[in-house]
Amino acid sequence: MRMLLGCVSLLVVLAIVGLLAKTQLKQVSGHGAVVAVSPDAASAAGIDPALAATPTRDLPRKVQDDLVRAMQAPPAHGDDSR
């Protein structure tokens, strides 16, 4: 009886978490939604205003460009990370 109650409660918790995840994903992946933050709000939150003004569609391209630029830059003179 105890094992049955444990399994049922686990299934109930999984169903609740699944529903919450579904609603969150539905809100995040809105159709054609572009998220942009005002520069004032970004600087108050400690975020780079230029990055905050970038729409989320352009963000992966910007991250990739920054990563390529960082990989091509020579290491600093006192850098012992290797």
Side-chain angles (χ1 to χ4, degrees):
M1 187 67 176
R2 185 182 228 179
M3 188 172 146
L4 181 66
L5 183 62
C7 289
V8 169
S9 63
L10 180 64
L11 289 175
V12 169
V13 168
L14 285 175
I16 292 171
V17 169
L19 288 174
L20 288 174
K22 182 179 176 181
T23 57
Q24 291 295 322
L25 286 174
K26 210 182 275 187
Q27 289 176 358
V28 169
S29 65
H31 298 289
V34 175
V35 178
V37 178
S38 70
D40 296 333
S43 62
I47 302 172
D48 183 19
L51 181 63
T54 305
T56 56
R57 291 181 184 168
D58 296 337
L59 193 58
R61 187 177 333 126
K62 180 171 176 18
V63 170
Q64 184 178 9
D65 292 343
D66 290 344
L67 183 62
V68 168
R69 195 174 320 117
M71 293 296 287
Q72 291 175 349
H77 179 52
D79 189 11
D80 293 332
S81 62
R82 289 197 247 170

